[in-house]
Amino acid sequence: MNTEDINFAYRVRHALNEKLDDLPSATTDRLAAARQAALSRKKAHVEVRVTRLATATSGGGTGMFADPIAWLSRFSVVLPLLLIVGGMVGVYQYEHQQSIQELAELDAAVLSDELPLSAYLDHGFNAYLETREQ
């Protein structure tokens, strides 16, 4: 529970206790009977388990590495996320290298061609290439 939850619980308890003296005796008798019935149905012995992580946060342990199983369970959640992010970065890098390679091949083809660079900028040259292909 965080501090906001604890403060809310204290305010609710205070508000309920404030009006406790104003309740009719029949209501308090019914509440007392309900409490006794609930206590009679309570299990005789219930073991309360406290994890090491809970004690570590309250100052009783050495932090996250106090329980290696808890550390492994956190790592098992983080590991797939890291693998997905690493895979996405790898695919991006591969695609980026492919586009750089394609542009380099195109530049090499343009520069090694016999035509001057100004021919590629001429609109009439594009028309000439289209009629030549047909």
Side-chain angles (χ1 to χ4, degrees), residues 34-54:
R35 183 176 191 278
Q36 288 300 324
L39 287 174
S40 68
R41 285 188 296 244
K42 180 185 174 283
K43 294 181 181 177
H45 183 281
V46 177
E47 183 178 328
V48 178
R49 292 183 53 183
V50 178
T51 63
R52 288 188 197 170
L53 182 61

mmCIF file of all heavy atoms in Angstrom, residues 34-54:
data_model
loop_
_atom_site.group_PDB
_atom_site.id
_atom_site.type_symbol
_atom_site.label_atom_id
_atom_site.label_comp_id
_atom_site.label_asym_id
_atom_site.label_seq_id
_atom_site.Cartn_x
_atom_site.Cartn_y
_atom_site.Cartn_z
ATOM 1 N N ALA A 34 -22.462 -9.980 14.451
ATOM 2 C CA ALA A 34 -21.835 -10.280 13.156
ATOM 3 C C ALA A 34 -20.333 -10.454 13.316
ATOM 4 O O ALA A 34 -19.725 -11.329 12.688
ATOM 5 C CB ALA A 34 -22.143 -9.161 12.168
ATOM 6 N N ARG A 35 -19.733 -9.651 14.187
ATOM 7 C CA ARG A 35 -18.282 -9.787 14.422
ATOM 8 C C ARG A 35 -17.974 -11.124 15.074
ATOM 9 O O ARG A 35 -17.024 -11.808 14.711
ATOM 10 C CB ARG A 35 -17.788 -8.639 15.293
ATOM 11 C CG ARG A 35 -16.300 -8.651 15.519
ATOM 12 C CD ARG A 35 -15.870 -7.418 16.313
ATOM 13 N NE ARG A 35 -14.448 -7.278 16.332
ATOM 14 C CZ ARG A 35 -13.624 -7.929 17.152
ATOM 15 N NH1 ARG A 35 -14.115 -8.781 18.013
ATOM 16 N NH2 ARG A 35 -12.324 -7.724 17.095
ATOM 17 N N GLN A 36 -18.778 -11.516 16.046
ATOM 18 C CA GLN A 36 -18.569 -12.805 16.712
ATOM 19 C C GLN A 36 -18.739 -13.969 15.734
ATOM 20 O O GLN A 36 -17.975 -14.936 15.763
ATOM 21 C CB GLN A 36 -19.538 -12.961 17.890
ATOM 22 C CG GLN A 36 -19.213 -12.088 19.072
ATOM 23 C CD GLN A 36 -17.826 -12.398 19.636
ATOM 24 O OE1 GLN A 36 -17.381 -13.537 19.658
ATOM 25 N NE2 GLN A 36 -17.137 -11.350 20.069
ATOM 26 N N ALA A 37 -19.722 -13.855 14.837
ATOM 27 C CA ALA A 37 -19.940 -14.907 13.845
ATOM 28 C C ALA A 37 -18.748 -14.992 12.882
ATOM 29 O O ALA A 37 -18.304 -16.080 12.511
ATOM 30 C CB ALA A 37 -21.230 -14.648 13.068
ATOM 31 N N ALA A 38 -18.233 -13.845 12.502
ATOM 32 C CA ALA A 38 -17.077 -13.836 11.597
ATOM 33 C C ALA A 38 -15.854 -14.418 12.283
ATOM 34 O O ALA A 38 -15.079 -15.177 11.676
ATOM 35 C CB ALA A 38 -16.801 -12.416 11.121
ATOM 36 N N LEU A 39 -15.659 -14.094 13.555
ATOM 37 C CA LEU A 39 -14.506 -14.621 14.283
ATOM 38 C C LEU A 39 -14.629 -16.126 14.505
ATOM 39 O O LEU A 39 -13.628 -16.840 14.519
ATOM 40 C CB LEU A 39 -14.343 -13.902 15.623
ATOM 41 C CG LEU A 39 -13.812 -12.473 15.535
ATOM 42 C CD1 LEU A 39 -13.832 -11.821 16.920
ATOM 43 C CD2 LEU A 39 -12.420 -12.448 14.952
ATOM 44 N N SER A 40 -15.858 -16.614 14.673
ATOM 45 C CA SER A 40 -16.032 -18.055 14.872
ATOM 46 C C SER A 40 -15.764 -18.837 13.582
ATOM 47 O O SER A 40 -15.366 -19.992 13.628
ATOM 48 C CB SER A 40 -17.438 -18.350 15.389
ATOM 49 O OG SER A 40 -18.395 -18.064 14.385
ATOM 50 N N ARG A 41 -15.983 -18.222 12.445
ATOM 51 C CA ARG A 41 -15.719 -18.894 11.165
ATOM 52 C C ARG A 41 -14.268 -18.762 10.723
ATOM 53 O O ARG A 41 -13.856 -19.383 9.761
ATOM 54 C CB ARG A 41 -16.625 -18.318 10.082
ATOM 55 C CG ARG A 41 -18.054 -18.791 10.193
ATOM 56 C CD ARG A 41 -18.827 -18.343 8.998
ATOM 57 N NE ARG A 41 -18.890 -16.887 8.954
ATOM 58 C CZ ARG A 41 -20.009 -16.185 9.048
ATOM 59 N NH1 ARG A 41 -21.148 -16.799 9.184
ATOM 60 N NH2 ARG A 41 -19.985 -14.884 9.004
ATOM 61 N N LYS A 42 -13.501 -17.959 11.416
ATOM 62 C CA LYS A 42 -12.097 -17.756 11.056
ATOM 63 C C LYS A 42 -11.334 -19.055 11.243
ATOM 64 O O LYS A 42 -11.571 -19.806 12.180
ATOM 65 C CB LYS A 42 -11.485 -16.672 11.942
ATOM 66 C CG LYS A 42 -10.037 -16.387 11.651
ATOM 67 C CD LYS A 42 -9.491 -15.392 12.652
ATOM 68 C CE LYS A 42 -8.014 -15.206 12.473
ATOM 69 N NZ LYS A 42 -7.228 -16.288 13.006
ATOM 70 N N LYS A 43 -10.438 -19.325 10.349
ATOM 71 C CA LYS A 43 -9.619 -20.524 10.466
ATOM 72 C C LYS A 43 -8.738 -20.413 11.704
ATOM 73 O O LYS A 43 -8.289 -19.324 12.070
ATOM 74 C CB LYS A 43 -8.756 -20.711 9.221
ATOM 75 C CG LYS A 43 -9.563 -20.998 7.979
ATOM 76 C CD LYS A 43 -8.665 -21.188 6.792
ATOM 77 C CE LYS A 43 -9.479 -21.444 5.538
ATOM 78 N NZ LYS A 43 -8.658 -21.557 4.353
ATOM 79 N N ALA A 44 -8.501 -21.557 12.298
ATOM 80 C CA ALA A 44 -7.757 -21.566 13.557
ATOM 81 C C ALA A 44 -6.330 -21.080 13.365
ATOM 82 O O ALA A 44 -5.824 -20.275 14.131
ATOM 83 C CB ALA A 44 -7.761 -22.974 14.149
ATOM 84 N N HIS A 45 -5.656 -21.562 12.330
ATOM 85 C CA HIS A 45 -4.272 -21.190 12.133
ATOM 86 C C HIS A 45 -4.052 -20.881 10.653
ATOM 87 O O HIS A 45 -4.147 -21.770 9.819
ATOM 88 C CB HIS A 45 -3.344 -22.328 12.569
ATOM 89 C CG HIS A 45 -1.898 -21.958 12.457
ATOM 90 N ND1 HIS A 45 -1.228 -21.966 11.268
ATOM 91 C CD2 HIS A 45 -1.007 -21.552 13.390
ATOM 92 C CE1 HIS A 45 0.023 -21.600 11.469
ATOM 93 N NE2 HIS A 45 0.184 -21.344 12.748
ATOM 94 N N VAL A 46 -3.799 -19.655 10.345
ATOM 95 C CA VAL A 46 -3.508 -19.255 8.976
ATOM 96 C C VAL A 46 -2.105 -18.692 8.962
ATOM 97 O O VAL A 46 -1.791 -17.740 9.673
ATOM 98 C CB VAL A 46 -4.515 -18.198 8.468
ATOM 99 C CG1 VAL A 46 -4.139 -17.741 7.075
ATOM 100 C CG2 VAL A 46 -5.916 -18.751 8.494
ATOM 101 N N GLU A 47 -1.247 -19.320 8.149
ATOM 102 C CA GLU A 47 0.132 -18.878 8.065
ATOM 103 C C GLU A 47 0.215 -17.667 7.137
ATOM 104 O O GLU A 47 -0.328 -17.669 6.039
ATOM 105 C CB GLU A 47 1.002 -20.001 7.499
ATOM 106 C CG GLU A 47 2.467 -19.649 7.435
ATOM 107 C CD GLU A 47 3.279 -20.807 6.904
ATOM 108 O OE1 GLU A 47 2.911 -21.963 7.150
ATOM 109 O OE2 GLU A 47 4.275 -20.540 6.225
ATOM 110 N N VAL A 48 0.879 -16.657 7.602
ATOM 111 C CA VAL A 48 1.054 -15.451 6.810
ATOM 112 C C VAL A 48 2.424 -15.517 6.170
ATOM 113 O O VAL A 48 3.442 -15.645 6.860
ATOM 114 C CB VAL A 48 0.932 -14.187 7.693
ATOM 115 C CG1 VAL A 48 1.176 -12.943 6.870
ATOM 116 C CG2 VAL A 48 -0.422 -14.140 8.354
ATOM 117 N N ARG A 49 2.433 -15.453 4.840
ATOM 118 C CA ARG A 49 3.709 -15.505 4.119
ATOM 119 C C ARG A 49 4.143 -14.106 3.744
ATOM 120 O O ARG A 49 3.376 -13.331 3.195
ATOM 121 C CB ARG A 49 3.565 -16.336 2.853
ATOM 122 C CG ARG A 49 3.348 -17.793 3.137
ATOM 123 C CD ARG A 49 3.295 -18.580 1.874
ATOM 124 N NE ARG A 49 4.472 -18.295 1.068
ATOM 125 C CZ ARG A 49 4.685 -18.799 -0.133
ATOM 126 N NH1 ARG A 49 3.802 -19.596 -0.664
ATOM 127 N NH2 ARG A 49 5.769 -18.524 -0.802
ATOM 128 N N VAL A 50 5.368 -13.790 4.037
ATOM 129 C CA VAL A 50 5.951 -12.514 3.672
ATOM 130 C C VAL A 50 7.142 -12.818 2.787
ATOM 131 O O VAL A 50 8.050 -13.555 3.179
ATOM 132 C CB VAL A 50 6.394 -11.710 4.918
ATOM 133 C CG1 VAL A 50 7.049 -10.411 4.509
ATOM 134 C CG2 VAL A 50 5.207 -11.456 5.816
ATOM 135 N N THR A 51 7.128 -12.265 1.589
ATOM 136 C CA THR A 51 8.246 -12.522 0.679
ATOM 137 C C THR A 51 9.443 -11.691 1.091
ATOM 138 O O THR A 51 9.328 -10.684 1.785
ATOM 139 C CB THR A 51 7.859 -12.188 -0.762
ATOM 140 O OG1 THR A 51 7.562 -10.789 -0.835
ATOM 141 C CG2 THR A 51 6.658 -12.993 -1.218
ATOM 142 N N ARG A 52 10.572 -12.087 0.630
ATOM 143 C CA ARG A 52 11.794 -11.337 0.954
ATOM 144 C C ARG A 52 11.788 -9.964 0.319
ATOM 145 O O ARG A 52 12.355 -9.036 0.836
ATOM 146 C CB ARG A 52 13.020 -12.104 0.472
ATOM 147 C CG ARG A 52 13.317 -13.309 1.287
ATOM 148 C CD ARG A 52 14.633 -13.895 0.873
ATOM 149 N NE ARG A 52 14.742 -15.251 1.351
ATOM 150 C CZ ARG A 52 15.670 -16.067 0.988
ATOM 151 N NH1 ARG A 52 16.581 -15.688 0.133
ATOM 152 N NH2 ARG A 52 15.718 -17.282 1.470
ATOM 153 N N LEU A 53 11.118 -9.857 -0.834
ATOM 154 C CA LEU A 53 11.055 -8.567 -1.498
ATOM 155 C C LEU A 53 10.301 -7.561 -0.642
ATOM 156 O O LEU A 53 10.699 -6.423 -0.522
ATOM 157 C CB LEU A 53 10.387 -8.705 -2.872
ATOM 158 C CG LEU A 53 10.285 -7.438 -3.696
ATOM 159 C CD1 LEU A 53 11.684 -6.908 -3.989
ATOM 160 C CD2 LEU A 53 9.558 -7.704 -4.985
ATOM 161 N N ALA A 54 9.227 -8.001 0.008
ATOM 162 C CA ALA A 54 8.465 -7.101 0.871
ATOM 163 C C ALA A 54 9.303 -6.675 2.066
ATOM 164 O O ALA A 54 9.266 -5.528 2.480
ATOM 165 C CB ALA A 54 7.178 -7.768 1.330
#
